Amino acid sequence: MMNKDPQEKSVRTLRVGEQVRHVLSKILQRGDVHDETLAKHMVSITEVRMSPDLRHATVFVKPLLGRDEEAVLKALRTNTAYLQREVAHRIQNKYAAKLKFLADESFDEGSHIDQLLRRPEVARDLGDAGED
């Protein structure tokens, strides 16, 4: 078989990543993981990035209101084997992807940028830029 188009591969990695995100979200939403920390927190799976060979999945998570982020990450990492088995069972892929959980910092970065843009000296400079 000939090598596939790189564009097709990237679409596939995005599609599989979205499937993994959906499955993990459902598992956490239904409380299938028997973990006290996860039972007490609503956790959003914001994004899943798959490696090109689909063997590794980086899962970005954010607890509701950003509370107890470290405890939630620890609980997810403790339950990684169970979650990997469940994902592998529900997504019929050639390989069971190894899951790696990370905090999604994009919300924090966006909030920080917003705060910077609202600073008086920045707002003044931005106002001057439009007067040329």
Side-chain angles (χ1 to χ4, degrees):
M1 192 166 138
M2 304 223 2
N3 284 342
K4 290 187 178 176
D5 176 20
Q7 186 72 28
E8 188 179 321
K9 276 188 176 179
S10 67
V11 169
R12 184 164 184 237
T13 58
L14 290 171
R15 182 177 48 77
V16 173
E18 187 58 23
Q19 286 176 325
V20 171
R21 188 189 71 76
H22 187 72
V23 167
L24 286 171
S25 294
K26 252 188 192 167
I27 290 168
L28 293 173
Q29 185 180 23
R30 287 199 303 224
D32 292 349
V33 181
H34 302 292
D35 183 283
E36 200 174 304
T37 303
L38 295 177
K40 289 192 287 187
H41 293 84
M42 292 288 297
V43 180
S44 291
I45 307 295
T46 56
E47 182 183 1
V48 175
R49 293 185 193 155
M50 300 300 297
S51 64
D53 64 2
L54 304 178
R55 290 182 187 224
H56 299 274
T58 303
V59 182
F60 292 92
V61 301
K62 191 74 175 170
L64 188 65
L65 304 175
R67 290 188 9 242
D68 303 327
E69 195 168 82
E70 284 306 313
V72 168
L73 279 171
K74 185 174 188 247
L76 287 167
R77 290 170 181 157
T78 299
N79 291 283
T80 297
Y82 169 77
L83 292 167
Q84 283 176 181
R85 276 194 311 275
E86 286 300 306
V87 168
H89 177 71
R90 297 176 193 197
I91 297 176
Q92 301 301 317
N93 234 357
K94 191 172 182 179
Y95 304 104
K98 295 213 179 307
L99 303 178
K100 177 181 176 184
F101 293 96
L102 297 176
D104 187 340
E105 305 295 342
S106 62
F107 293 105
D108 300 334
E109 290 171 19
S111 176
H112 179 68
I113 290 169
D114 190 51
Q115 286 175 347
L116 288 175
L117 291 174
R118 292 176 190 275
R119 290 175 58 186
E121 60 274 18
V122 174
R124 181 189 66 232
D125 290 347
L126 290 174
D128 291 347
E131 297 173 9
D132 285 340

